[in-house]
Amino acid sequence: MAEKKESLLGGFKAFLMRGNVIDLAVAVVIGAAFTNIVNSVVKGIINPVVGAFGTKDLESYASCIQGSCTTGANGEMEGIQLQWGLVLSAVLSFLITAAVVYFLMVLPMAKILAKRAAHEKAKEGVAETMEISELEVLKEIRDHLVAQRGPAAGTGTGPGSGGPGAHPTS
C-alpha cells in the first residue's frame, strides 16, 4: 500500500515537473493579467467612445422585452431587461484580446517557425548535395583508377585489381 501511494505521488510530481504544465501555468497567469489590461482599455476608452455616439456608456445600453424598464419604489427593475451593451462590450474585449494575441504572439511565432523549417530544409538539401557530390567524386576516382590499370583490371580478380591475392606493393 505504501508503494502505491509513493508511486502516485511520484507520478504526480513527474507530471507537475514536465515543461508543458509549467508553461501552461505561466500562460494562465500572464493571460489573466493581460485580460485585466484589455478590460480596462475597453471600459475606459472604447465604451465611452461608442457611448459618445449615443446618450450613455456602452454597458448601460439595454432593451425591455416585457413591460417597461423602470425602477420601482423598492429599487428593483420592473420588466424584463436585455443588457445588450454588456454583451457588446464583452465581444469587443474578446476581439481586441484575440487580435493582440494573434498579431503579437501567433503571427510572429509562425514566421519564426517557418524560417526555422526553411533553414532546416536548406540544411538537409546541402547535406544531400554534399553526399551526392562525394559519391560522384568517389565514382570518378574509381573509374579513373580502373582506366589506369587497364582492361584486365576491371574483372576484380587479377593481381593489380585489388581483389583476392593482390599484394600491397603491386
Side-chain angles (χ1 to χ4, degrees):
M1 184 77 171
E3 283 183 30
K4 191 168 189 172
K5 283 186 180 180
E6 188 173 301
S7 66
L8 285 176
L9 290 176
F12 184 66
K13 182 180 176 186
F15 169 74
L16 289 178
M17 290 302 168
R18 286 179 23 205
N20 295 344
V21 173
I22 304 231
D23 291 343
L24 182 61
V26 169
V28 167
V29 170
I30 296 293
F34 184 69
T35 300
N36 287 336
I37 293 171
V38 171
N39 287 338
S40 297
V41 168
V42 169
K43 287 180 183 177
I45 297 173
I46 294 175
N47 286 354
V49 169
V50 171
F53 293 108
T55 58
K56 47 190 165 184
D57 187 26
L58 179 63
E59 291 186 7
S60 302
Y61 285 100
S63 298
C64 289
I65 59 171
Q66 183 179 13
S68 62
C69 291
T70 57
T71 306
N74 57 1
E76 292 184 21
M77 179 64 66
E78 295 177 6
I80 299 174
Q81 185 179 28
L82 292 178
Q83 296 179 332
W84 56 270
L86 287 172
V87 175
L88 184 58
S89 178
V91 168
L92 287 173
S93 293
F94 171 76
L95 290 175
I96 291 170
T97 304
V100 169
V101 167
Y102 179 75
F103 289 112
L104 295 182
M105 296 176 194
V106 173
L107 193 60
M109 184 58 79
K111 288 182 180 180
I112 289 170
L113 292 176
K115 284 182 182 179
R116 184 178 293 166
H119 182 62
E120 291 295 323
K121 187 175 181 181
K123 277 174 100 176
E124 288 175 6
V126 168
E128 286 178 9
T129 305
M130 289 180 69
E131 288 176 14
I132 291 172
S133 35
E134 286 177 7
L135 186 60
E136 288 175 4
V137 169
L138 289 173
K139 286 180 181 179
E140 288 177 16
I141 292 171
R142 180 201 63 202
D143 294 343
H144 184 67
L145 288 173
V146 167
Q148 280 182 343
R149 290 184 181 158
T155 61
T157 57
S161 68
H167 298 288
T169 56
S170 57

